[in-house]
Amino acid sequence: MRSPRVTVLMPVHNGAAHLAPAIRSVLEQTFTDLELLVVDDGSTDPTAEILMSVPDPRLRVLRMSRSGIVAALNTGLDAASGQLLARMDADDLADPERLARQVAFLDRNPGVVACGTDYELFGAATGRVRMPRTPARCRARLLFGTCIAHPSALLRLAVLRDSGTRYQAEYTYAEDYKLFSELSRLGDLANLPFTGLRYRVDAAQVSATASTAQRTAAIRISRENLAAAGVTGIPERVAADMIWPPGRGPTAALRYAYRYAPTLIAVGARAGGLAGAATATRLVRERLNTVLRQPAGTRSEHETSHVE
């Protein structure tokens, strides 16, 4: 049996509420040479029944006992039969042209090992999130956060397997940021300038319920990436406050502007040159906007990207 060009990897745990439309958005892609590989990570809700009701032979289901997102992703990575690996979450919606445009982009750019797209927030938040376009801007963004929205990613599976690059449990909740950091050393990363994904925002998401663990992992990766670029000695607390300002309101904004923003821009310039300085400057603007508009005690993973 001929292998598909693309494996779409969708891990799910108790995702019955939104699973069916997510599946439809993959199987109704204009690019049809694909398999949808769903890894059911020990679901106890009607997820299994929904999967059994899908008649499309391109759906393949792997069931495992509850092991967590990293184990589910690596199980799918090992089982994927396509040349390219697309990621998709079980509660998001893919644009019908997403895979067609991403596959064509990788075909035109053999030096790019992974690409993503912009995405639109819906549900508990709205807005379009614009991701960095060029390899240089993606490398600069990795100094402070992930540069590709994970559920919009399309990756060259051979690069992952040949290099032994996998998702790492020690970076759980930021495992995608670590993966893209490692891939950036193997080739270029980029994002296409269109909205390829509708990203559901829900208070029950990992990013909301485990934000402290996510931020701890993300700061660790950021400091590792900065060290690899020659910038060391930044205390963990300072790094955290540079990227996620403490407090909300005008006073907090002034404190961030005078205490942390100059350091962030200087660090970006030292680690990434002009692209790093430009990325850090943009991040400062985003953070100041967040501090001024968002109520105290509320934070979003989308603070690491530009929301229009």
Side-chain angles (χ1 to χ4, degrees):
M1 183 177 178
R2 189 182 68 86
S3 296
R5 185 79 194 281
V6 175
T7 292
V8 181
L9 172 57
M10 180 188 291
V12 60
H13 172 71
N14 288 346
H18 306 297
L19 181 59
I23 289 174
R24 282 197 301 272
S25 75
V26 173
L27 297 179
E28 293 176 358
Q29 290 286 301
T30 59
F31 183 90
T32 60
D33 188 11
L34 63 86
E35 68 166 352
L36 173 56
L37 178 60
V38 177
V39 180
D40 184 355
D41 183 26
S43 295
T44 56
D45 69 351
T47 289
E49 288 81 357
I50 293 171
L51 293 171
M52 290 175 61
S53 72
V54 178
D56 197 311
R58 294 176 298 170
L59 172 65
R60 183 158 60 105
V61 179
L62 298 179
R63 292 187 172 87
M64 55 189 292
S65 59
R66 178 65 169 151
S67 302
I69 182 63
V70 171
L73 287 168
N74 283 329
T75 296
L77 194 159
D78 292 338
S81 61
Q83 298 173 0
L84 303 172
L85 182 75
R87 271 286 288 115
M88 180 72 184
D89 284 345
D91 57 354
D92 295 339
L93 301 172
D95 180 89
E97 292 288 330
R98 174 195 157 184
L99 290 180
R101 295 178 70 168
Q102 287 184 287
V103 170
F105 179 82
L106 289 186
D107 285 346
R108 294 193 306 269
N109 296 275
V112 175
V113 295
C115 67
T117 73
D118 292 349
Y119 60 101
E120 178 187 359
L121 307 175
F122 74 107
T126 59
R128 178 185 174 186
V129 180
R130 188 175 65 198
M131 303 302 289
R133 304 288 186 237
T134 66
R137 287 299 176 95
C138 285
R139 283 192 295 272
R141 185 56 125 174
L142 285 170
L143 297 171
F144 308 112
T146 190
C147 66
I148 292 178
H150 197 201
S152 81
L154 183 67
L155 310 93
R156 297 189 190 275
L157 191 56
V159 173
L160 292 171
R161 288 176 172 167
D162 290 348
S163 64
T165 304
R166 299 172 65 79
Y167 295 96
Q168 298 180 46
E170 63 184 298
Y171 297 96
T172 296
Y173 303 124
E175 67 279 343
D176 55 328
Y177 181 14
K178 181 62 174 176
L179 184 85
F180 293 128
S181 296
E182 294 195 348
L183 282 176
S184 71
R185 301 177 184 108
L186 302 173
D188 289 337
L189 306 178
N191 284 285
L192 280 66
F194 79 101
T195 304
L197 183 79
R198 297 190 69 213
Y199 182 96
R200 187 184 305 274
V201 181
D202 189 320
Q205 287 173 306
V206 165
S207 55
T209 59
S211 61
T212 299
Q214 184 184 53
R215 286 164 188 267
T216 298
I219 289 299
R220 177 183 173 188
I221 299 164
S222 173
R223 294 174 76 213
E224 290 172 352
N225 291 348
L226 287 168
V231 178
T232 59
I234 300 174
E236 183 175 348
R237 182 69 262 168
V238 173
D241 289 345
M242 282 195 312
I243 300 174
W244 292 294
R248 292 295 182 267
T251 300
L254 283 172
R255 182 172 60 247
Y256 180 75
Y258 284 100
R259 182 179 297 178
Y260 296 110
T263 302
L264 180 62
I265 294 171
V267 166
R270 285 174 58 197
L274 289 176
T279 295
T281 301
R282 184 170 180 171
L283 187 58
V284 166
R285 291 199 302 265
E286 294 169 10
R287 291 305 183 258
L288 288 173
N289 287 334
T290 298
V291 169
L292 289 170
R293 74 169 181 261
Q294 201 169 39
T298 61
R299 290 179 172 178
S300 167
E301 68 171 318
H302 307 289
E303 293 174 10
T304 57
S305 302
H306 175 58
V307 182
E308 298 178 331

